[in-house]
Amino acid sequence: MSEYDEVRPPEPARRGRGQGPGRGRRRPGGRRGGRAEELMVPEAAFTSYYDKPIVKAPPWGHEIPAYLFLGGVAGGSGLLAAGAQLTGRSLLRRNARLSAMAAIGLGGVALVADLGKPSRFYNMLRTFKVTSPMSVGSWILTAFAGGLTVTVGAEVDRMSGERLPLGPLRPVLRALEGPAGWEAAVFAAPLAGYTAVLLADTAVPTWNATHRDLPFVFVSSASLASAGLAMITTPAHEAGPARTLALMGVVGDVVAMKAMERRMDPVAAEPLHHGSAGTMLRWSERLAVAGAVGVVLGGRRRPLAVASGLALMTASALTRFGVFEAGIHSTKDPRYVVEPQRRRLAARRAAGETGDSITTAG
C-alpha cells in the first residue's frame, strides 16, 4: 500500500420513500409529493481493501515492551557503575553492576520468550549488518553483557570473601575488572537507545513518525529507571550520582517527549494521547515529576528515597509500554496511514513547484 492509494468515500444516502427508478428525484421547488426530501451525506470513513488494516501489526506480545524497559535499566545501570568505579563508591558500583546483570538476564528471558527459542537470537549473531537495527542491537547487547559478566564475577568473588574456586584465575579477573567495566560503559548508552531505533525502523505509523526523537526519550527514560533502582538499593550517602542522574533524566524525559509530539504528524501522534497508551503516558509524566520532587525534597532520607525510586522506575516502565501500545493501536485504523502520507505527498509537490518556479525565475 503506497501513499497514492485512495480512500473510498461512502455513497450518499437519501432519506425518502423508495429507491427505484423515477423515485428520489427532486421536483422544481425542492419538493416531491408535497414532502420535503433531505439529502444525507455521511462523513467520509477511511477504509481499506477487504476491510483489512493497511499496515500489519507486528506479532509482538508484552514481552517486547518488558525487554525495552529492562534494556534501559541495564544500560543506565552500566553507566552508573562506571561513574561509581571512577569516583570510588564501592557500594553503588556493586549494586549498579548487579542490577544491570539482573536486568540483562530478565530481558534475555523476555526476548527469547517472544522469539520462541534461543537459537533465533544466536542466529542473529552469525552476521553483522549495519542497516539492521536488530543485528546491531544483538551485538551491542552481547558486547555489553560480556564486559558486565567479568565485573559481576569480581563483585561476587569479593562478596563471598574470595571463596570462589578461581585459583590462579583470580589475579586475572582482578586485572580485567577495570577495563571490562569501561567496556560495558561504552555500550551502555547504545543499549538503552537502540530499541527506539528498532521500533522507528518499522512501518508502524506512530513509531515511524517518532524516528527523530524516540532515542532521546528512551535514553532519558533509562536514566529514570536505573537511577530509581540505585536509590532503592544503595544507601543515601553513596547514591548522590543516582540522584543527579534521576533529575537529569526527568528533565530529559519530559522535554524530549514534548519535542517529539510537536515534531510528529498530528494524526500519527493521536494514539499517544488516547486509550490505554494515553493513560500510561500521562501517568508516566506525573510519576516522573513526583519522583523528581521527592529527590529534591528528601532524597537523602531513606523512606523518601525508596518511594521516589519506585515512582521513577514506574514512570520509565509506563513510557515504554505506552509508546508500544500507541504503535500497535496506530496499525488498526487506515486513517493513521493515509492522512500523513497525503500530507507528505502534498508537501513534496509544493516543494517541487516552488523549486520549479525559482528555476524559471532564475
Side-chain angles (χ1 to χ4, degrees), residues 9-27:
E11 294 295 331
R14 296 181 182 273
R15 181 185 296 173
R17 290 183 176 179
Q19 298 295 329
R23 297 183 180 182
R25 296 179 182 174
R26 287 186 181 272
R27 291 184 177 184

Side-chain angles (χ1 to χ4, degrees), residues 1 8 46-56 331-335 337:
M1 188 67 61
R8 300 172 299 176
F46 286 88
T47 59
S48 56
Y49 294 112
Y50 307 108
D51 293 325
K52 299 293 185 182
I54 296 176
V55 174
K56 185 177 180 181
T331 64
K332 299 177 181 179
D333 191 339
R335 175 170 169 264
V337 179

Side-chain angles (χ1 to χ4, degrees), residues 235-302:
H237 68 274
E238 282 213 9
R243 292 191 293 270
T244 302
L245 182 63
L247 294 176
M248 293 172 59
V250 170
V251 174
D253 184 67
V254 174
V255 171
M257 181 64 76
K258 298 299 183 185
M260 181 181 75
E261 293 172 0
R262 284 197 300 269
R263 284 159 62 95
M264 292 174 65
D265 183 278
V267 173
E270 282 184 11
L272 296 172
H273 303 283
H274 302 295
S276 60
T279 301
M280 285 188 281
L281 291 172
R282 284 191 294 273
W283 274 105
S284 171
E285 182 176 349
R286 293 168 187 167
L287 289 172
V289 173
V293 171
V295 171
V296 172
L297 296 181
R300 293 181 178 275
R301 302 176 200 168
R302 186 66 179 157

Side-chain angles (χ1 to χ4, degrees), residues 68-69 71-73 75-77 79-80 188-196 213-228 242-260 284 288-289 311-317 319-320:
L68 304 181
F69 168 68
V73 173
S77 297
L79 287 176
L80 269 178
L191 176 64
Y194 95 89
T195 50
D213 301 286
L214 191 60
F216 298 101
V217 173
F218 273 22
V219 170
S220 299
S221 175
S223 301
L224 297 185
S226 56
R243 292 191 293 270
T244 302
L245 182 63
L247 294 176
M248 293 172 59
V250 170
V251 174
D253 184 67
V254 174
V255 171
M257 181 64 76
K258 298 299 183 185
M260 181 181 75
S284 171
V289 173
L312 294 173
M313 290 189 69
T314 305
S316 177
T319 296
R320 308 294 176 119

